PDB file of all heavy atoms in Angstrom:
ATOM      1  N   ASP A  63     -13.666  11.834  31.853  1.00 94.00           N
ATOM      2  CA  ASP A  63     -13.657  10.816  32.907  1.00 94.00           C
ATOM      3  C   ASP A  63     -12.958   9.540  32.457  1.00 94.00           C
ATOM      4  O   ASP A  63     -12.226   8.910  33.229  1.00 94.00           O
ATOM      5  CB  ASP A  63     -15.091  10.492  33.340  1.00 94.00           C
ATOM      6  CG  ASP A  63     -15.721  11.601  34.166  1.00 94.00           C
ATOM      7  OD1 ASP A  63     -14.976  12.495  34.614  1.00 94.00           O
ATOM      8  OD2 ASP A  63     -16.948  11.573  34.360  1.00 94.00           O
ATOM      9  N   TYR A  64     -13.182   9.150  31.205  1.00 93.00           N
ATOM     10  CA  TYR A  64     -12.498   7.965  30.682  1.00 93.00           C
ATOM     11  C   TYR A  64     -10.989   8.196  30.650  1.00 93.00           C
ATOM     12  O   TYR A  64     -10.206   7.337  31.068  1.00 93.00           O
ATOM     13  CB  TYR A  64     -12.988   7.634  29.274  1.00 93.00           C
ATOM     14  CG  TYR A  64     -14.278   6.842  29.220  1.00 93.00           C
ATOM     15  CD1 TYR A  64     -15.292   7.193  28.338  1.00 93.00           C
ATOM     16  CD2 TYR A  64     -14.469   5.723  30.032  1.00 93.00           C
ATOM     17  CE1 TYR A  64     -16.481   6.469  28.277  1.00 93.00           C
ATOM     18  CE2 TYR A  64     -15.651   4.995  29.972  1.00 93.00           C
ATOM     19  CZ  TYR A  64     -16.656   5.377  29.099  1.00 93.00           C
ATOM     20  OH  TYR A  64     -17.814   4.664  29.047  1.00 93.00           O
ATOM     21  N   GLU A  65     -10.576   9.351  30.147  1.00 92.00           N
ATOM     22  CA  GLU A  65      -9.149   9.612  29.978  1.00 92.00           C
ATOM     23  C   GLU A  65      -8.423   9.782  31.310  1.00 92.00           C
ATOM     24  O   GLU A  65      -7.247   9.437  31.427  1.00 92.00           O
ATOM     25  CB  GLU A  65      -8.958  10.874  29.118  1.00 92.00           C
ATOM     26  CG  GLU A  65      -9.399  10.690  27.676  1.00 92.00           C
ATOM     27  CD  GLU A  65      -9.135  11.891  26.805  1.00 92.00           C
ATOM     28  OE1 GLU A  65      -8.753  12.960  27.350  1.00 92.00           O
ATOM     29  OE2 GLU A  65      -9.302  11.785  25.571  1.00 92.00           O
ATOM     30  N   SER A  66      -9.110  10.319  32.299  1.00 91.00           N
ATOM     31  CA  SER A  66      -8.481  10.557  33.607  1.00 91.00           C
ATOM     32  C   SER A  66      -8.548   9.347  34.521  1.00 91.00           C
ATOM     33  O   SER A  66      -7.878   9.313  35.559  1.00 91.00           O
ATOM     34  CB  SER A  66      -9.153  11.745  34.297  1.00 91.00           C
ATOM     35  OG  SER A  66     -10.509  11.444  34.608  1.00 91.00           O
ATOM     36  N   GLY A  67      -9.372   8.357  34.161  1.00 89.00           N
ATOM     37  CA  GLY A  67      -9.519   7.184  35.003  1.00 89.00           C
ATOM     38  C   GLY A  67     -10.601   7.321  36.060  1.00 89.00           C
ATOM     39  O   GLY A  67     -10.782   6.422  36.888  1.00 89.00           O
ATOM     40  N   ARG A  68     -11.326   8.461  36.040  1.00 91.00           N
ATOM     41  CA  ARG A  68     -12.410   8.634  37.008  1.00 91.00           C
ATOM     42  C   ARG A  68     -13.584   7.706  36.712  1.00 91.00           C
ATOM     43  O   ARG A  68     -14.351   7.358  37.593  1.00 91.00           O
ATOM     44  CB  ARG A  68     -12.897  10.088  37.009  1.00 91.00           C
ATOM     45  CG  ARG A  68     -11.915  11.078  37.591  1.00 91.00           C
ATOM     46  CD  ARG A  68     -12.553  12.445  37.780  1.00 91.00           C
ATOM     47  NE  ARG A  68     -12.957  13.034  36.507  1.00 91.00           N
ATOM     48  CZ  ARG A  68     -12.180  13.826  35.784  1.00 91.00           C
ATOM     49  NH1 ARG A  68     -10.950  14.095  36.197  1.00 91.00           N
ATOM     50  NH2 ARG A  68     -12.628  14.338  34.651  1.00 91.00           N
ATOM     51  N   ARG A  69     -13.708   7.319  35.457  1.00 89.00           N
ATOM     52  CA  ARG A  69     -14.754   6.386  35.050  1.00 89.00           C
ATOM     53  C   ARG A  69     -14.102   5.053  34.701  1.00 89.00           C
ATOM     54  O   ARG A  69     -12.968   5.022  34.200  1.00 89.00           O
ATOM     55  CB  ARG A  69     -15.505   6.957  33.833  1.00 89.00           C
ATOM     56  CG  ARG A  69     -16.683   6.119  33.360  1.00 89.00           C
ATOM     57  CD  ARG A  69     -17.317   6.764  32.133  1.00 89.00           C
ATOM     58  NE  ARG A  69     -18.018   7.993  32.466  1.00 89.00           N
ATOM     59  CZ  ARG A  69     -19.337   8.114  32.526  1.00 89.00           C
ATOM     60  NH1 ARG A  69     -20.107   7.056  32.289  1.00 89.00           N
ATOM     61  NH2 ARG A  69     -19.900   9.272  32.809  1.00 89.00           N
ATOM     62  N   ARG A  70     -14.792   3.977  34.973  1.00 84.00           N
ATOM     63  CA  ARG A  70     -14.251   2.652  34.672  1.00 84.00           C
ATOM     64  C   ARG A  70     -13.772   2.575  33.227  1.00 84.00           C
ATOM     65  O   ARG A  70     -14.396   3.130  32.319  1.00 84.00           O
ATOM     66  CB  ARG A  70     -15.337   1.607  34.905  1.00 84.00           C
ATOM     67  CG  ARG A  70     -14.870   0.173  34.712  1.00 84.00           C
ATOM     68  CD  ARG A  70     -16.008  -0.783  35.002  1.00 84.00           C
ATOM     69  NE  ARG A  70     -15.622  -2.165  34.763  1.00 84.00           N
ATOM     70  CZ  ARG A  70     -16.441  -3.211  34.912  1.00 84.00           C
ATOM     71  NH1 ARG A  70     -17.691  -2.997  35.296  1.00 84.00           N
ATOM     72  NH2 ARG A  70     -16.013  -4.430  34.674  1.00 84.00           N
ATOM     73  N   SER A  71     -12.643   1.911  33.024  1.00 80.00           N
ATOM     74  CA  SER A  71     -12.052   1.827  31.692  1.00 80.00           C
ATOM     75  C   SER A  71     -13.085   1.345  30.675  1.00 80.00           C
ATOM     76  O   SER A  71     -13.831   0.397  30.951  1.00 80.00           O
ATOM     77  CB  SER A  71     -10.857   0.862  31.697  1.00 80.00           C
ATOM     78  OG  SER A  71      -9.822   1.360  32.527  1.00 80.00           O
ATOM     79  N   PRO A  72     -13.150   1.990  29.509  1.00 85.00           N
ATOM     80  CA  PRO A  72     -14.148   1.613  28.505  1.00 85.00           C
ATOM     81  C   PRO A  72     -13.910   0.218  27.960  1.00 85.00           C
ATOM     82  O   PRO A  72     -12.772  -0.210  27.790  1.00 85.00           O
ATOM     83  CB  PRO A  72     -13.954   2.671  27.412  1.00 85.00           C
ATOM     84  CG  PRO A  72     -12.541   3.122  27.576  1.00 85.00           C
ATOM     85  CD  PRO A  72     -12.270   3.075  29.056  1.00 85.00           C
ATOM     86  N   GLY A  73     -14.999  -0.487  27.678  1.00 85.00           N
ATOM     87  CA  GLY A  73     -14.886  -1.805  27.074  1.00 85.00           C
ATOM     88  C   GLY A  73     -14.606  -1.691  25.588  1.00 85.00           C
ATOM     89  O   GLY A  73     -14.545  -0.594  25.025  1.00 85.00           O
ATOM     90  N   ILE A  74     -14.432  -2.819  24.936  1.00 87.00           N
ATOM     91  CA  ILE A  74     -14.042  -2.835  23.529  1.00 87.00           C
ATOM     92  C   ILE A  74     -15.092  -2.165  22.650  1.00 87.00           C
ATOM     93  O   ILE A  74     -14.749  -1.523  21.652  1.00 87.00           O
ATOM     94  CB  ILE A  74     -13.784  -4.286  23.051  1.00 87.00           C
ATOM     95  CG1 ILE A  74     -13.225  -4.291  21.613  1.00 87.00           C
ATOM     96  CG2 ILE A  74     -15.043  -5.119  23.167  1.00 87.00           C
ATOM     97  CD1 ILE A  74     -11.906  -3.588  21.458  1.00 87.00           C
ATOM     98  N   LEU A  75     -16.383  -2.277  23.016  1.00 90.00           N
ATOM     99  CA  LEU A  75     -17.438  -1.665  22.208  1.00 90.00           C
ATOM    100  C   LEU A  75     -17.302  -0.144  22.220  1.00 90.00           C
ATOM    101  O   LEU A  75     -17.380   0.507  21.157  1.00 90.00           O
ATOM    102  CB  LEU A  75     -18.821  -2.079  22.712  1.00 90.00           C
ATOM    103  CG  LEU A  75     -20.017  -1.501  21.946  1.00 90.00           C
ATOM    104  CD1 LEU A  75     -19.970  -1.950  20.484  1.00 90.00           C
ATOM    105  CD2 LEU A  75     -21.330  -1.937  22.591  1.00 90.00           C
ATOM    106  N   ILE A  76     -17.096   0.424  23.393  1.00 91.00           N
ATOM    107  CA  ILE A  76     -16.946   1.878  23.505  1.00 91.00           C
ATOM    108  C   ILE A  76     -15.645   2.332  22.853  1.00 91.00           C
ATOM    109  O   ILE A  76     -15.607   3.354  22.156  1.00 91.00           O
ATOM    110  CB  ILE A  76     -17.005   2.310  24.977  1.00 91.00           C
ATOM    111  CG1 ILE A  76     -18.384   2.020  25.556  1.00 91.00           C
ATOM    112  CG2 ILE A  76     -16.676   3.804  25.115  1.00 91.00           C
ATOM    113  CD1 ILE A  76     -18.514   2.316  27.040  1.00 91.00           C
TER     114      ILE A  76
END
Side-chain angles (χ1 to χ4, degrees):
D63 287 347
Y64 278 135
E65 292 184 351
S66 65
R68 290 190 297 269
R69 184 182 290 254
R70 184 178 177 181
S71 296
I74 186 62
L75 180 61
I76 295 176

